[in-house]
Every structure is written in structure tokens, then in C-alpha cells.
Amino acid sequence: MTDPALDLAVVVAVMSSNFDVAVPRHAAFAGEVGLSGEIRTVTRIDQRVSEAAKLGFETIFIPSGNLKGIHDKFNIKIVEVNKVTDVFEKIFRGEA
């Protein structure tokens, strides 16, 4: 896979394995992760969120830079994240 939007999902899977904590089944992820842990915007975010909703996901984690005008369009909870630490806290500490 070469799509940078998969970076966030891969990082969450590694964190899940490392900390032996399951990722919620209802959560989807879309974001490019930089070397310092920042989560960068991705292209076609509307399409990605729409597809996650169609597949039955209840929550999607996306870069905060991709939020413009997206909250009201889809029947899915959108969680904004800026850094990998945001995702860690929201998923593995139960803040999402």
C-alpha cells in the first residue's frame, strides 16, 4: 500500500499491539503521520469519511486540518487529531 492516509491506521495498530489494548471495532482512521508524530491532512477526505460511514464505522479519526465543513455532511462521529499522542489519549485512555 502506498497511500499515505493509511499511516495513522498502521500507527494505531502498532500502538495497540505494543500496549496490548484493543482498538475499538467501530473506529476508522485516515491521516498521514510525520516523523515527529504530527498528523497531516490527506486528499479526498470526504470520500474517505463517506466510505467509512457506509461500511458501518461509528467514529473516524482525521487530521484537524481536514475538518473544514465536514462535520455536518456524514452520519459518523468525526474526531480531530493533531498528533499521535492525541490518538493515544483518545483511544487508549478512553477519551474518544
Side-chain angles (χ1 to χ4, degrees):
M1 298 298 229
T2 59
D3 187 353
L6 295 174
D7 290 357
L8 185 56
V10 170
V11 167
V12 170
V14 170
M15 287 192 302
S16 171
S17 177
N18 188 49
F19 296 107
D20 198 27
V21 178
V23 176
R25 288 181 177 245
H26 62 81
F29 306 88
E32 180 178 1
V33 178
L35 293 176
S36 63
E38 76 276 8
I39 300 174
R40 301 179 185 147
T41 59
V42 293
T43 59
R44 301 185 329 265
I45 195 65
D46 286 353
Q47 180 182 359
R48 296 173 195 279
V49 174
S50 174
E51 193 63 26
K54 286 179 190 174
L55 290 171
F57 289 99
E58 298 171 10
T59 306
I60 187 166
F61 291 76
I62 65 170
S64 57
N66 277 125
L67 284 177
K68 186 176 181 180
I70 202 168
H71 276 289
D72 301 329
K73 292 182 182 180
F74 305 101
N75 189 22
I76 188 170
K77 179 182 176 185
I78 297 173
V79 179
E80 68 177 294
V81 288
N82 291 308
K83 295 188 171 261
V84 171
T85 54
D86 294 344
V87 179
F88 179 86
E89 291 171 1
K90 291 178 181 188
I91 291 180
F92 300 109
R93 292 194 178 151
E95 296 177 16

